[in-house]
Amino acid sequence: MENTVFSELKFWLMMLTSFVLPFGLYSVLMMKRAISRQTTLMLGFALVAIAGLDVYFLRMLAAAAKLTPSLADDTVFVSEVSLALYILPVMFGGIGVNIISHVLVKHLDEANERFRNEHLEK
């Protein structure tokens, strides 16, 4: 058994999914001049998936922290401070759902406009 969860692979996977992956996605997309609807939709789904992975890793790390003798990981993952760690998944999940909603609403608006144009011509 490890002395702390900070030295476990799960912790570093959580850091990767919490910081590197989403900000990497943002930076690549910010460099593009034009983004397709499908790419935007995939970004939204990716952010929701990242949020789910973050919550999964946080739950696993909290359970592992209870079993280690280290008090440092207990302070971060088992105490009330751990609630602050859920801010990133909530933010990424919220942004992802907002992006998905934006794409769907835009598509429905365009479909309604096409429907109106087709039925007004008849």
Side-chain angles (χ1 to χ4, degrees), residues 13-113:
L13 286 173
M14 183 196 72
M15 296 303 286
L16 177 76
T17 60
S18 296
F19 295 104
V20 176
L21 216 86
F23 292 112
L25 281 171
Y26 289 144
S27 61
V28 167
L29 291 173
M30 292 299 280
M31 288 184 219
K32 292 183 164 249
R33 274 189 85 212
I35 300 171
S36 72
R37 183 178 289 168
Q38 290 81 13
T39 303
T40 306
L41 193 61
M42 293 314 296
L43 169 67
F45 283 122
L47 289 173
V48 171
I50 287 168
L53 282 172
D54 280 352
V55 170
Y56 171 74
F57 283 127
L58 285 170
R59 302 286 298 196
M60 279 190 356
L61 289 169
K66 290 178 186 175
L67 302 175
T68 62
S70 172
L71 295 177
D73 54 13
D74 288 348
T75 303
V76 174
F77 293 107
V78 180
S79 71
E80 291 82 16
V81 175
S82 69
L83 288 176
L85 297 174
Y86 286 90
I87 290 173
L88 275 178
V90 166
M91 181 183 75
F92 292 140
I95 292 171
V97 167
N98 194 10
I99 289 171
I100 293 167
S101 173
H102 170 75
V103 171
L104 293 175
V105 167
K106 185 82 169 157
H107 172 73
L108 291 174
D109 284 345
E110 291 171 1
N112 284 335
E113 186 65 30

